[in-house]
């Protein structure tokens, strides 16, 4: 506990940095909405429209959480998630897609690859609930 | 001075007007007291001058008889000694008497009454001086008998008694005037004292009144300022509360707006995806109503029939499709197909024919699937697979 007592007052009293979220989707309106909403909830949001862009951002500024669509322009979202997981194995991933998966499919096939699955037809509150569950406010 | 019409002007303030009136009264009382005091002071100075004048008159008057007595004493000495020095002395004394008479005459010159009174005294004194001169002449002449006779006649003369009486009367008159003037001065001093004290008291009362007015006004203004401050604080508190409410409402509306936009894009995305799925199917797909009218067809159906969607939408499917065994589209029996939708079960892999735009017919394999919305059949999906031509 000695290191805590020796912490500088400025560091102890400093506001914690906002959690970084990387959102990946090939549709720009989706990314804009996600950025607007999650920023209003206090998160720092980076967006990527392609897998290449997503990898560059993840390498330069490691996110605390990744949100990815399933259908991307040049690759499969799950494949990209596997690549990103190789870079940062401990980071949680949310699959956000309009493809309606069967809950049993999600439970049996996707639970090893993603931390959570949220349908694009679900309200943003549901996504926010999952984000807070995984990385906090 | 304020230019705001809602604020009272300098002379429009009631309290200010009252205070100014009080101070005007104070000034008026002060001016009155000063005027009265100055007037009384002038009168006091005049009285003092008159008193000094009267005292000087009385003093000179009192000195007349002793001077006459001294002069007649010197005369008597001269009569006895016949010395020239005594003669000179008696003449000096009578000269002194004459000077005193001149002084008293000058002092009484301002009052005709006094002048008249003293004229009688001066006449007696003149007679005494004339007597003395006659006696001196007789003495110088050496006529002792005439001198003796004159002295004998003079002894019965009542001039001394007359002189004493006149001087006493004059003196009493002056003394009486002094007394009445003393009384008047006393009254005047009393009046002046009461005037000053009264003016001072009145001014103090007016000052107290003005101070009370000012204090009262200040208290009212402080109270008004307090009330205003309280109202301002209440208003600020209400504004803060309202701002918080509006901020929260704004945040809710913003979140609601974001949710609505998200829901809209989700619906659009889902519709687009569903259409994409149907359009990507290589088999011809027709979506029909319960009455077997075409509501949608995919690109494969367009390719198969050669007809654009505008030509077939809302038209009966029987126009282009009939089951094998039927005579053609005109005589197509869609009883099995329609019955399928009504009964809500599927029809799979039936032989059928499709009429193309060019007038030809193409063999297909037909499947019909009811469209259910909450267990209610709302239409159907008809899938046609082209039958490849049989190779010989």
């Amino acid at each position: 506990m000695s290191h805590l007592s020796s912490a500088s007052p400025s560091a102890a009293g400093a506001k914690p940095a906002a959690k970084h979220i990387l959102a990946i989707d090939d549709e720009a309106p989706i990314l804009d909405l996600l950025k607007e909403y999650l920023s209003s909830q206090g998160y720092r949001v980076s967006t990527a429209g392609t897998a290449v862009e997503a990898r560059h951002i993840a390498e330069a500024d490691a996110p605390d959480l990744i949100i990815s669509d399933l259908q991307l322009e040049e690759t499969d979202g799950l494949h990209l998630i596997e690549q990103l997981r190789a870079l940062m194995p401990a980071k949680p991933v949310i699959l956000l897609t309009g493809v309606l998966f069967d809950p049993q499919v999600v439970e049996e096939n996707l639970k090893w690859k993603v931390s959570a699955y949220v349908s694009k037809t679900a309200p943003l509150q549901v996504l926010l609930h999952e984000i807070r569950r995984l990385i906090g406010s | 001075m304020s230019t705001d019409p809602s604020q009272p002007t300098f002379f429009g303030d009631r309290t200010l007007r009252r205070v100014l009136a009080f101070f005007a009264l104070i000034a008026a009382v002060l001016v009155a007291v000063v005027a009265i005091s100055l007037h009384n002071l002038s009168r006091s100075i005049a009285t003092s001058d008159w008193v000094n004048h009267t005292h000087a008159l009385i003093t000179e008057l009192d000195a007349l008889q002793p001077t006459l007595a001294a002069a007649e004493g010197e005369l008597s000495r001269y009569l006895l000694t016949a010395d020239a020095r005594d003669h000179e002395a008696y003449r000096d004394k009578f000269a002194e008497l004459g000077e005193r008479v001149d002084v008293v005459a000058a002092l009484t010159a301002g009052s005709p009454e006094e002048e008249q009174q003293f004229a009688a005294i001066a006449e007696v004194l003149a007679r005494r001086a004339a007597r003395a001169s006659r006696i001196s002449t007789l003495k110088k002449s050496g006529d002792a008998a005439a001198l003796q006779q004159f002295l004998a006649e003079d002894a019965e003369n009542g001039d001394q008694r007359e002189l004493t009486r006149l001087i006493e009367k004059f003196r009493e008159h002056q003394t009486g005037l002094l007394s009445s003037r003393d009384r008047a001065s006393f009254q005047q001093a009393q009046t002046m004292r009461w005037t000053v004290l009264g003016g001072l008291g009145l001014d103090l009362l007016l000052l107290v009144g003005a101070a009370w007015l000012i204090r009262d006004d200040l208290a009212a203004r402080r109270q008004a300022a307090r009330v205003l401050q309280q109202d301002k604080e209440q208003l600020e508190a209400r504004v803060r509360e309202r701002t918080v409410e509006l901020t929260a409402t704004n945040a809710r509306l913003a979140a609601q707006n974001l949710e609505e936009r998200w829901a809209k894009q989700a619906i659009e995305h889902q519709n687009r995806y569903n259409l994409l799925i149907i359009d990507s199917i290589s088999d011809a797909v027709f979506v029909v109503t319960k009455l077997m009218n075409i509501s949608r067809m995919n690109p494969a159906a367009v390719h198969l029939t050669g007809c654009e969607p505008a030509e077939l939408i809302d038209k009966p499917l029987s126009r282009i499709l009939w089951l094998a065994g039927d005579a053609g589209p005109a005589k197509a029996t869609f009883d099995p197909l329609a019955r399928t939708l009504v009964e809500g079960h599927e029809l799979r892999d039936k032989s059928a024919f499709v009429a193309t735009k060019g007038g030809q017919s193409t063999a297909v394999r037909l499947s019909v699937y009811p469209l259910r919305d909450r267990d209610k059949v709302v239409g159907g999906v008809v899938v046609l697979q082209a039958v490849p031509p049989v190779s010989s």
Side-chain angles (χ1 to χ4, degrees):
Chain A
M1 298 296 284
S2 61
H3 67 285
L4 289 176
S5 61
S6 65
S8 64
S10 59
K15 204 174 173 181
K19 296 286 175 63
H20 180 208
I21 296 176
L22 173 60
I24 309 165
D25 198 300
D26 58 350
E27 292 186 48
I30 303 266
L31 290 177
D32 291 341
L33 272 171
L34 282 176
K35 183 162 187 173
E36 187 180 340
Y37 180 73
L38 295 176
S39 296
S40 72
Q41 299 298 326
Y43 295 100
R44 182 167 62 91
V45 182
S46 299
T47 59
T50 64
V52 172
E53 201 178 333
R55 275 194 291 272
H56 282 159
I57 293 172
E59 284 163 4
D61 184 7
D64 296 298
L65 177 132
I66 300 168
I67 300 174
S68 177
D69 189 12
L70 181 61
Q71 294 169 324
L72 296 174
E73 201 170 300
E74 73 273 7
T75 186
D76 179 291
L78 289 173
H79 179 65
L80 173 61
I81 286 167
E82 279 182 23
Q83 291 177 335
L84 293 175
R85 270 283 172 85
L87 282 174
M88 46 199 81
K91 299 299 178 182
V93 178
I94 295 177
L95 187 65
L96 178 69
T97 179
V99 175
L100 298 176
F101 282 111
D102 187 279
Q104 196 170 355
V105 169
V106 173
E107 177 64 25
E108 291 177 1
N109 295 85
L110 299 181
K111 68 177 178 184
W112 306 112
K113 295 184 179 179
V114 298
S115 310
Y117 157 72
V118 176
S119 168
K120 279 184 180 176
T121 59
L124 286 168
Q125 281 284 341
V126 174
L127 176 63
L128 183 65
H129 175 76
E130 288 300 319
I131 291 172
R132 284 177 176 165
R133 183 180 66 82
L134 291 170
I135 62 171
S137 301
Chain B
M1 191 174 303
S2 169
T3 56
D4 183 355
S6 65
Q7 283 192 353
T9 59
F10 188 75
F11 292 104
D13 190 323
R14 193 174 70 169
T15 302
L16 189 60
R17 281 206 308 271
R18 286 181 177 177
V19 169
L20 286 175
F22 267 89
F23 278 105
L25 274 174
I26 290 168
V29 167
L30 199 61
V31 167
V33 167
V34 166
I36 292 171
S37 299
L38 283 176
H39 175 66
N40 287 340
L41 200 61
S42 299
R43 286 178 63 184
S44 294
I45 291 170
T47 300
S48 176
D49 287 344
W50 181 86
V51 166
N52 291 339
H53 168 271
T54 305
H55 277 294
L57 181 58
I58 292 173
T59 301
E60 289 298 323
L61 206 60
D62 287 345
L64 284 176
Q65 268 190 319
T67 306
L68 179 63
E72 289 184 343
E74 292 295 333
L75 179 61
S76 299
R77 187 201 293 267
Y78 171 63
L79 287 178
L80 287 174
T81 62
D83 191 319
R85 287 177 293 191
D86 292 329
H87 180 263
E88 202 60 37
Y90 112 82
R91 284 181 66 84
D92 287 341
K93 278 295 180 186
F94 269 99
E96 184 184 330
L97 180 65
E99 287 170 3
R100 288 191 185 276
V101 168
D102 289 339
V103 167
V104 176
L107 288 172
T108 57
S111 170
E113 186 187 351
E114 289 176 358
E115 207 172 21
Q116 189 181 0
Q117 280 184 333
F118 181 68
I121 295 170
E123 187 183 338
V124 172
L125 289 173
R127 279 205 302 270
R128 298 303 296 172
R131 168 192 168 269
S133 177
R134 178 72 178 139
I135 290 172
S136 169
T137 304
L138 287 174
K139 178 68 179 177
K140 274 190 183 172
S141 69
D143 189 348
L147 179 62
Q148 201 169 1
Q149 185 181 353
F150 185 79
L151 286 172
E153 289 171 0
D154 183 63
E156 295 175 1
N157 190 311
D159 279 346
Q160 283 292 348
R161 287 193 297 277
E162 176 69 11
L163 185 64
T164 302
R165 187 185 64 81
L166 287 173
I167 288 175
E168 278 299 316
K169 183 181 172 185
F170 192 54
R171 196 174 189 283
E172 278 175 18
H173 176 70
Q174 294 301 313
T175 308
L177 286 177
L178 274 175
S179 296
S180 61
R181 190 60 73 95
D182 279 345
R183 281 194 298 276
S185 291
F186 178 76
Q187 289 297 327
Q188 190 178 318
Q190 289 292 96
T191 303
M192 189 163 165
R193 180 195 302 173
W194 287 114
T195 301
V196 169
L197 287 177
L200 182 67
L202 188 59
D203 270 352
L204 282 175
L205 278 176
L206 289 171
L207 271 174
V208 167
W212 180 82
L213 268 181
I214 291 170
R215 175 193 158 280
D216 196 43
D217 185 67
L218 282 175
R221 286 172 198 269
R222 274 198 289 269
Q223 176 63 16
R226 273 197 296 274
V227 169
L228 196 64
Q229 180 64 23
Q230 282 173 5
D231 288 346
K232 183 186 164 197
E233 285 169 3
Q234 285 175 2
L235 187 64
E236 283 176 354
R238 286 201 340 242
V239 165
R240 279 195 295 272
E241 286 173 12
R242 190 72 183 131
T243 303
V244 166
E245 285 174 13
L246 288 172
T247 304
T249 302
N250 195 40
R252 272 200 310 276
L253 287 172
Q256 189 178 333
N257 175 264
L258 275 171
E259 288 286 4
E260 285 172 2
R261 284 157 61 195
W262 179 259
K264 184 182 168 200
Q265 69 77 29
I267 290 170
E268 286 172 0
H269 182 273
Q270 209 58 39
N271 285 341
R272 204 166 50 245
Y273 193 67
N274 292 339
L275 290 173
L276 197 61
I277 292 172
I278 293 175
D279 288 348
S280 301
I281 299 173
S282 60
D283 296 333
V285 177
F286 292 88
V287 180
V288 296
T289 64
K290 280 180 78 169
L291 298 179
M292 298 303 287
N293 291 329
I294 298 170
S295 61
R296 193 165 178 266
M297 51 194 285
N298 70 345
V302 171
H303 178 74
L304 180 65
T305 61
C307 297
E308 292 299 322
E311 297 175 76
L312 293 179
I313 295 297
D314 204 31
K315 303 295 190 294
L317 187 61
S318 60
R319 182 181 285 193
I320 56 159
L321 180 68
W322 66 95
L323 290 172
D326 285 342
K331 294 195 190 308
T333 55
F334 269 81
D335 279 346
L337 299 182
R339 212 163 46 238
T340 295
L341 292 185
V342 169
E343 292 172 359
H345 58 81
E346 297 169 357
L347 190 67
R348 289 181 186 254
D349 204 27
K350 298 294 181 190
S351 294
F353 291 92
V354 168
T356 64
K357 194 167 183 178
Q360 295 170 342
S361 61
T362 304
V364 291
R365 300 300 297 175
L366 163 77
S367 296
V368 178
Y369 305 94
L371 265 177
R372 282 195 174 81
D373 186 3
R374 292 192 183 91
D375 294 330
K376 193 169 78 171
V377 176
V378 297
V381 177
V382 177
V383 180
L384 305 177
Q385 286 176 312
V387 174
V390 177
S391 57
S392 55

